[in-house]
Structure formats: structure tokens, C-alpha cells
Amino acid sequence: MVEVHPLLLQFGVSLLAILALFGLARALGLGTKPLLQDAAAVQRAAHEVEDGFATSQVSIARSKKCALAKDSAGRIMVIKLHGNRFAGRILTSKTKVREEVDGLVVDPHEVQFGTVRLSLTDAASWADAINRL
């Protein structure tokens, strides 16, 4: 019978345990970043940011990590991925928006939130709506 050094055996068992935990975490979907797949996901994120914000118009960036949402009162919210959660701000007249070749750069005029770059197909209409705030 081959004798295995105890440290080598401990290393092997620890490695197997780590791989098993990694597989379990992947199977449960832990550690994955959420995405804004559809209008319902944007609605949920907007509702988390401000209770009662009911979206009437939504535009999701191509990356699915940020979006713009408008409610029936005409308020516009920008939503972005922050860590593994979504953060959002309702835009005001202080908001700066800049059109770029493939989208918008929205600056809600809040240093802690920062700017949001959205690659949108309907960037011009959103820029006009934000500028009218």
C-alpha cells in the first residue's frame, strides 16, 4: 500500500471541497451580475429606487447594465448597475446630457452617483426629454 503524506492528503481534500463549493455557488447563480433584460426588470429596479415609480416608457442600454425610465408624471429616472444591485436617480433640471455617436452620457449632477453612459437606439428623443426637464 502506498503511504500518502498527511499534508498532501489535506491539500487534496481541501481542493476538492473548494471545487465543490465553487460548483454549488455557480449552480445557485451566486456571484453573477444582474442585468436589465426587459421592461419588467427596469420596472422592478425603478420601484426599488423610489417606491411607487411606475414606468410608462423604458429604454435599456445595449449592455443591459443601465436604462432610462419615464413615468406617467413625466419624471425620468436613470438606472445603473452598482456592484450587484441597481441604483437610480430621478433627473432634474440640473441634469446634463450629451449625445454621442452611439448613445448618451447622462450626468445627474450628483458627485456620488457619477455619470452614466448609455448606448441607446433612441438617444436623441431621450436627450430632448431630459433637456426639457
Side-chain angles (χ1 to χ4, degrees):
M1 184 157 99
V2 176
E3 194 172 311
V4 178
H5 193 280
L7 286 178
L8 186 58
L9 182 63
Q10 182 182 4
F11 172 78
V13 171
S14 295
L15 183 62
L16 285 175
I18 290 169
L19 291 174
L21 288 174
F22 173 77
L24 179 64
R26 295 289 277 189
L28 293 174
L30 301 176
T32 59
K33 293 202 181 241
L35 297 176
L36 297 168
Q37 297 289 353
D38 54 19
V42 175
Q43 172 61 47
R44 283 190 302 276
H47 189 72
E48 285 180 20
V49 172
E50 181 165 315
D51 193 30
F53 192 96
T55 60
S56 62
Q57 183 181 358
V58 168
S59 188
I60 302 170
R62 289 182 189 98
S63 67
K64 307 230 184 274
K65 294 181 181 180
C66 49
L68 289 169
K70 188 180 211 180
D71 71 357
S72 59
R75 298 181 304 164
I76 299 174
M77 180 184 290
V78 63
I79 301 168
K80 71 176 183 176
L81 185 62
H82 182 73
N84 65 347
R85 303 195 62 113
F86 289 101
R89 294 294 184 269
I90 293 182
L91 304 179
T92 66
S93 59
K94 293 180 181 180
T95 301
K96 305 259 190 274
V97 64
R98 182 177 74 242
E99 281 187 75
E100 292 191 344
V101 174
D102 63 340
L104 288 178
V105 176
V106 178
D107 180 5
H109 199 69
E110 187 176 321
V111 176
Q112 292 177 337
F113 189 75
T115 61
V116 181
R117 187 176 193 308
L118 302 106
S119 294
L120 303 169
T121 55
D122 53 351
S125 63
W126 281 101
D128 288 341
I130 293 168
N131 283 328
R132 285 192 303 268
L133 292 175

